Amino acid sequence: MSESGSIPRVYSRIAGTGSYLPAKVLTNDDLSKIVDTSDEWIAARTGIRQRHIAADGETTGDLAYHAAVRALQSAGVEPDELDLIVLGTTTPDLVFPSTACLLQHRLGANGCGAFDVNAACSGFLYAISVADKFIRTGDARTVLVVGSETLTRMVDWSERTTCVLFGDGAGAVVLKADAETGILSTHLHADGAKKELLWNPVGVSVGFKENEKNVGVRIQMAGSDVFKYAVKALDSVVEETLEANGLDRHDIDWLIPHQANLRIIEATAKRLDMPMERVIVTVDKHGNTSSGSVPLALDHAIRSGQVQRGQLLLLEAFGGGFTWGSALLRY
Ligand code: COA
């Protein structure tokens, strides 16, 4: 109890970050040799210049491991100090056990809770939101949160409208309980009615066989519908976040958005009246890495020295489901 008699709030503060991109790079020019596209078209419509592709046999769990080791090192935390691992992914290594369990064992963090969260491209926002609740309620003090994907494993390389967009990668953060500041609020949403606009309609229960229309095992997307819905949903969650915290849009120091499309990022920045100099953009280097994208951008922003301790960061993402969400935090 505090002197005033109220129970003091506990915050989840970022103690360290890490990220990992597979070695192989596929540029827009490389893609133009596979499908009828060009660097000019892809860059103008999406801002993407290249993406990384996991090597044969390199899995989501491998990417997660490298990102996690870097995050633990930067936080100065040993794996056996972890109380929980929450991993956002829509491309798990196996049907089960979860990729979080595989990661837990490989890190040597045996014994702590570990589970995956599937919210497609919003996976990291969903994962960090769950982790924050564990810390705020006192059930955990040190949590590893990861977003990791090998999305290119389910890309149709003959479909130019989708194959140019996606890449593989992972990012991770270590959250620690803090008495002063950290995550201020998180906001999650979903609209399952829109599932067919962005999905991969196969699975254990439905079956993995391609159906008579030859769809499945591959990402299907209605690009311009997704674009319009994403811009609206992100506008609304940004408003919701500011209102919940009694903040003005000019109070935000950095926007760290999901890296799917530069034009969607610019639309959100415009809504926040934010110059692009205060928006972290890495989509040009790795395309849409789904759950990996926000922690990849965050790690880049911190390691490059752009984001400084004490600054206010707004994280947001949108993805299949539809799902979308935000996290406001003081770094
Ligand atoms: N290279 C060259 N031309 C392409 C192309 C490519 N890779 N992909 C599509 N085209 C063509 C289309 O065939 C179409 O040609 P047509 O006019 O002769 O029919 C033309 O470009 C315009 O297609 P359209 O789909 O209307 O383009 P767009 O401006 O909507 O851009 C996306 C397409 C996919 C880049 C855009 O809709 C988008 O970014 N959507 C959101 C996707 C996303 O972020 N998804 C993940 C969310 S987590």
Side-chain angles (χ1 to χ4, degrees):
M1 300 273 269
S2 67
E3 279 173 26
S4 65
S6 60
I7 299 169
R9 178 167 166 180
V10 178
Y11 295 90
S12 313
R13 192 157 193 189
I14 293 178
T17 62
S19 60
Y20 177 78
L21 290 163
K24 185 180 170 188
V25 172
L26 190 70
T27 65
N28 291 348
D29 284 336
D30 295 335
L31 264 175
S32 69
K33 292 172 191 130
I34 306 171
V35 285
D36 183 14
T37 191
S38 64
D39 177 48
E40 210 180 356
W41 192 97
I42 302 169
R45 303 278 174 133
T46 71
I48 299 166
R49 292 280 181 188
Q50 62 174 45
R51 70 285 298 138
H52 291 247
I53 312 286
D56 287 347
E58 191 175 33
T59 67
T60 292
D62 294 329
L63 274 49
Y65 174 75
H66 296 304
V69 166
R70 290 172 185 175
L72 287 163
Q73 277 168 356
S74 85
V77 166
E78 293 298 326
D80 63 7
E81 293 175 58
L82 292 173
D83 300 318
L84 184 69
I85 298 173
V86 189
L87 187 147
T89 191
T90 194
T91 49
D93 287 21
L94 305 169
V95 172
F96 73 87
S98 68
T99 307
C101 283
L102 305 178
L103 174 65
Q104 181 223 46
H105 177 59
R106 193 161 164 196
L107 287 172
N110 295 3
C112 75
F115 59 90
D116 289 357
V117 172
N118 179 351
C121 295
S122 310
F124 180 77
L125 266 304
Y126 269 64
I128 201 170
S129 174
V130 172
D132 176 47
K133 304 302 177 287
F134 272 86
I135 290 179
R136 280 177 69 170
T137 57
D139 279 350
R141 290 193 62 80
T142 309
V143 182
L144 174 65
V145 187
V146 186
S148 184
E149 305 276 10
T150 45
L151 227 62
T152 65
R153 295 270 155 77
M154 55 178 181
V155 159
D156 181 347
W157 292 106
S158 66
E159 179 50 76
R160 69 177 182 176
T161 57
T162 48
C163 76
V164 301
L165 303 175
F166 301 104
D168 302 329
V173 305
V174 175
L175 294 178
K176 286 184 89 166
D178 190 285
E180 303 295 324
T181 193
I183 294 177
L184 302 175
S185 72
T186 62
H187 305 268
L188 303 181
H189 294 279
D191 182 357
K194 302 291 185 299
K195 67 178 189 292
E196 289 169 24
L197 296 179
L198 176 55
W199 67 339
N200 183 352
V202 295
V204 178
S205 198
V206 166
F208 281 100
K209 280 191 189 153
E210 298 203 353
N211 66 21
E212 66 282 0
K213 288 185 195 151
N214 199 29
V215 297
V217 203
R218 298 285 179 266
I219 298 171
Q220 318 278 316
M221 186 181 68
S224 72
D225 291 335
V226 173
F227 190 101
K228 285 179 220 148
Y229 201 106
V231 170
K232 265 197 221 153
L234 290 170
D235 273 0
S236 120
V237 82
V238 161
E239 287 299 323
E240 180 187 0
T241 310
L242 293 175
E243 207 178 305
N245 291 279
L247 291 173
D248 181 79
R249 53 194 177 157
H250 298 114
D251 295 328
I252 308 293
D253 290 306
W254 291 98
L255 175 65
I256 306 189
H258 173 42
Q259 308 287 320
N261 182 310
L262 183 59
R263 290 187 298 145
I264 297 177
I265 294 173
E266 285 170 345
T268 309
K270 198 170 165 202
R271 178 78 168 196
L272 280 165
D273 194 23
M274 217 165 189
M276 286 306 285
E277 295 76 54
R278 289 201 287 135
V279 180
I280 302 300
V281 176
T282 54
V283 69
D284 53 321
K285 297 181 188 70
H286 53 66
N288 182 349
T289 58
S290 189
S291 293
S293 109
V294 171
L296 267 161
L298 178 64
D299 185 48
H300 169 79
I302 290 170
R303 285 177 191 261
S304 63
Q306 288 167 284
V307 164
Q308 298 290 321
R309 282 283 175 201
Q311 289 186 324
L312 199 56
L313 318 184
L314 178 58
L315 281 48
E316 46 86 336
F318 179 90
F322 288 143
T323 56
W324 62 101
S326 69
L328 183 79
L329 62 96
R330 199 165 284 288
Y331 174 58

